[in-house]
Amino acid sequence: MRSAPTILHLDMDAFYASVEQASKPSLRGKAVIVGGLGPRGVVATASYEARVLGVHSAMPMSQARRLAPNAAYLMPRFALYRSISDQVMALLRALSPLVEPLSLDEAFVDLEAGGTAWDERSARLVGAKLRADIRAVTGLTGSVGLAASKMLAKIASEQAKPDGLVVIEPGTERAMLEPMPVRTLPGVGPATGDHLRRAGIHTVGEIAEAGEDELVRLLGKAHGHALYAMALARDDRPVVAERETKSVSVEDTYDVDIHDRVRVGLEVQRLADRCVRRLRGAGLSGRTIVLKVRRYDFSTLTRSETLRGPTDDPAVVREAAARLLDSVDTTGGVRLLGVGVSGLADYTQEDLFAQAAGGAGEEVAEGEESEPAPEARPEVPEERRWTAGHDVRHTAYGHGWVQGSGLGRVTVRFETPGSAPGRVKTFRVDDPALEAADPLPLVEAPPALPEPMGPPEMLPPPPRPLEA
């Protein structure tokens, strides 16, 4: 562990919900919950106003509605979240070449590697400027933790929430950690926490007091050693600039269990096609096809098949997924299906039919054609799918967002990120004046500076720096 707090951890505050509040003036200061809105949807992010009511990420949406019946419930807008994340990550990469993104809204930065911080004072200045830059560029807030290790920097950013900055100075780590609950340490989830509690261990200090041997006895060798080191504030993990993608996958949860075996098969093939589109979008291919099935009783099964070589061919992935489905009993009903590809590479296997046949243990006759892809489920045209929270434009009223729809009507609030809370109008779902729209930027771009006049030699010289 280094001797200065030059590892920075950034965590954007309630990211998805904060984006929605920033883009919708009528929701600012109110409970906002983003996630799947179906009966089996889960909360992706809750605003701080919703968290006060007991709503949190990964909670079933049905439970969230009981706790916060008057909150705004919105579907995610991932394209917008990714574009804002790109802006934030660009600010981080301006600080150091060593930036390790953990998700769209979270990352580690090694400030020492970028030469932007070398002691407590310089690190604090960088953290303060970063928070100001994020607000100026995106209109959002982020919490920053600074410490001498990744583990401590993440703990510091949690303490800084929301919209704060916390620096853990070297030499103070043990005293800070000792009174904290065991769940503070990474890797200590509900099960491990309960196991430690039953052994009379409630705080990080008590983990250290228990000793390494006792922790190995309780938790096993690997977990016991790691937990003891963390309790002593030992963490030498480096910031890794590029986290290798290990798999690409897609999945769907269904509002009503699927019992029809033919429908299950069609859903798996549709998911296979979606997975391949994502795979190709990343310029990757893979050797191992994975099928995930969650049944009516919440039991989850995974099946996998490894091909002779990497592929990004949809027919090959569909065939492999179909073979895997053959080994799964779906008699009682299916509530979730997923298809993934792992063993990734940046090239594809040329002999696609050969590898598909090899995986199936059959030969394909020369010239034989694979079956065409099944048709996807018929979808309502995008402009007529009025999704709660998504953007629309009306020829007379301008830009707005969908508050809700049903019974042949859609309700829209007309407002923009820079406006006052807007008025609400209701239309028929087939109103020709209403159409889907792209999200507006949260912060207006500053006006471009005028071009300098005249040739460079005629321009005044830049001001000289002040003497020290």
Side-chain angles (χ1 to χ4, degrees), residues 116-317:
T116 49
W118 47 91
D119 58 12
E120 188 270 338
R121 180 177 177 275
S122 59
R124 189 182 293 273
L125 289 173
V126 168
K129 184 177 185 302
L130 173 64
R131 292 178 56 234
D133 289 344
I134 289 173
R135 185 184 289 273
V137 171
T138 69
L140 304 176
T141 63
S143 297
V144 170
L146 289 153
S149 70
K150 291 169 71 172
M151 179 190 78
L152 293 169
K154 184 171 176 62
I155 291 173
S157 71
E158 286 295 322
Q159 291 182 318
K161 283 184 168 295
D163 190 21
L165 183 150
V166 168
V167 180
I168 300 177
E169 299 182 19
T172 67
E173 300 95 345
R174 290 285 302 277
M176 179 207 68
L177 284 175
E178 283 180 355
M180 291 184 169
V182 294
R183 291 286 302 275
T184 302
L185 298 179
V188 181
T192 301
D194 287 345
H195 201 56
L196 292 171
R197 179 180 52 79
R198 288 195 296 270
I201 299 173
H202 300 87
T203 67
V204 176
E206 289 171 345
I207 291 178
E209 291 174 4
E212 192 168 16
D213 291 342
E214 176 65 8
L215 291 171
V216 168
R217 186 186 70 80
L218 287 172
L219 305 174
K221 188 173 182 181
H223 201 22
H225 286 313
L227 198 58
Y228 182 69
M230 289 189 290
L232 299 180
R234 298 174 185 165
D235 179 20
D236 295 324
R237 293 173 300 155
V239 176
V240 180
E242 295 295 334
R243 303 181 77 223
E244 182 182 359
T245 301
K246 295 182 178 180
S247 65
V248 172
S249 62
V250 297
E251 62 182 44
D252 275 347
T253 301
Y254 303 98
D255 294 343
V256 179
D257 289 348
I258 303 175
H259 293 82
D260 182 0
R261 181 74 178 190
V262 174
R263 167 82 188 282
V264 172
L266 291 174
E267 289 293 313
V268 166
Q269 300 216 0
R270 183 179 62 84
L271 289 166
D273 287 341
R274 276 177 52 196
C275 182
V276 169
R277 286 197 296 270
R278 184 172 294 183
L279 192 71
R280 287 180 169 180
L284 297 170
S285 61
R287 296 184 65 227
T288 301
I289 314 303
V290 181
L291 175 71
K292 177 180 177 181
V293 180
R294 180 167 297 149
R295 299 189 292 190
Y296 68 99
D297 58 357
F298 285 90
S299 61
T300 303
L301 305 175
T302 58
R303 299 287 186 267
S304 64
E305 174 182 312
T306 299
L307 306 174
R308 294 179 180 178
T311 184
D312 65 354
D313 184 88
V316 174
V317 176

Side-chain angles (χ1 to χ4, degrees), residues 19-28 74 77 389 401 415 417:
V19 171
E20 300 302 338
Q21 288 177 317
S23 67
K24 301 173 172 65
S26 59
L27 299 184
R28 293 170 191 170
L74 308 174
R77 295 186 293 168
W401 58 278
E415 59 188 3

Side-chain angles (χ1 to χ4, degrees), residues 307-369:
L307 306 174
R308 294 179 180 178
T311 184
D312 65 354
D313 184 88
V316 174
V317 176
R318 283 197 302 268
E319 291 168 13
R323 287 193 296 272
L324 295 171
L325 180 61
D326 288 340
S327 66
V328 177
D329 181 9
T330 62
T331 304
V334 170
R335 61 190 301 122
L336 177 146
L337 291 168
V339 174
V341 178
S342 61
L344 302 182
D346 57 1
Y347 64 95
T348 58
Q349 168 74 34
E350 293 297 331
D351 190 4
L352 300 176
F353 290 111
Q355 66 172 312
E362 301 173 352
E363 291 187 353
V364 177
E366 185 177 355
E368 182 179 351
E369 295 183 357

